[in-house]
Amino acid sequence: MILTPEKNKNLLETLIEFAYAEYGSAIEMLAAAKKTNSAKLKIGYIYHALDEYRHTFLILKVLKNQIENGRGNFKKHYKFNPQSVIKKGYVDKEGFLVEKLSTKKFVEFVYSNEYLAQEAFDGLKKNINDIQSLNIIENITEDEKKHSDDTIETLDDIMKDELRHHGHAKNFYLKTFPESKIEMAFMREKIKNKLRLFYYKNIKFLTKIIDPIIHFIIFCFGKVVVLIDIPTQNRENLLKINEKSVL
Ligand SMILES: [Fe+2]
Ligand SMILES: [Fe+2]
């Protein structure tokens, strides 16, 4: 995963966001594979994409397990819709990361965000572990226990992959840009990651306030426009001659 989603207090909502983030990364990796001229890198990116597709599937399985364990009800938007990856901002419709960033910046981004992803999965695992230990007190069934163990095993499996992706990016970076300081790049990307989450969190909040104001201004402007009298030489109002006219 290369774009860590916002943490949500609701476990199921967090899981569906993680699934989209993984799917977005898979697509970004395919775009990177398409762009590079190096056969070795092409194969590396394709394997990375396959891992991210697999992670999407695994996260959706975890989501299903959690619902079956009674951690909440299934909601319509938990049904995975590939197109939502753009709407949710995990893939930018203006272009892929590999097209927008230099190779150096792209590798810095992957290196840093794969590590942050591993940390995010660790947080998710702790969260699920906490819920599970609470439930053990309340007599967990055999099936529920199996689902919970499956979930932890799956998250461990994904975390191993993310660390491996992080390691590959590091090796490539150190070999290609030996002069650059990778830890500085990591700090920079970590801050950017936090700002991005802050932006997405607040933009949702701000649009709730700003959108009605904009609609109100447009509404008022519409009312004023109808009152404007644009006379022709014959003193006719052009707006009234043809209502469909854009003038
Ligand atoms: Fe990854
Ligand atoms: Fe991943």
Side-chain angles (χ1 to χ4, degrees), residues 86-118:
I86 294 171
K87 206 167 73 189
K88 285 175 172 285
Y90 294 111
V91 170
D92 185 357
K93 64 173 181 231
E94 305 298 328
F96 295 110
L97 287 169
V98 76
E99 295 165 342
K100 292 190 291 185
L101 303 174
S102 65
T103 306
K104 185 167 176 280
K105 291 272 173 220
F106 179 70
V107 182
E108 284 176 359
F109 185 92
V110 175
Y111 164 80
S112 310
N113 285 284
E114 289 292 341
Y115 187 79
L116 295 173
Q118 185 269 336

Side-chain angles (χ1 to χ4, degrees), residues 46-100:
I46 288 172
Y47 274 122
H48 192 156
L50 288 174
D51 279 344
E52 304 298 0
Y53 279 125
R54 192 170 66 89
H55 295 171
T56 311
F57 169 77
L58 290 174
I59 297 291
L60 292 172
K61 198 181 87 181
V62 168
L63 176 73
K64 187 171 165 271
N65 276 346
Q66 293 301 309
I67 292 174
E68 283 177 7
N69 273 15
R71 309 278 183 269
N73 295 322
F74 179 83
K75 290 186 186 156
K76 219 168 98 190
H77 67 274
Y78 295 160
K79 195 169 173 337
F80 190 77
N81 172 20
Q83 288 175 350
S84 298
V85 80
I86 294 171
K87 206 167 73 189
K88 285 175 172 285
Y90 294 111
V91 170
D92 185 357
K93 64 173 181 231
E94 305 298 328
F96 295 110
L97 287 169
V98 76
E99 295 165 342
K100 292 190 291 185

Side-chain angles (χ1 to χ4, degrees), residues 18 72 94 138 148 181 201 203 219:
F18 270 63
E94 305 298 328
E138 299 166 12
S148 295
K181 291 192 172 56
K201 207 170 168 179
I203 203 74
F219 173 77

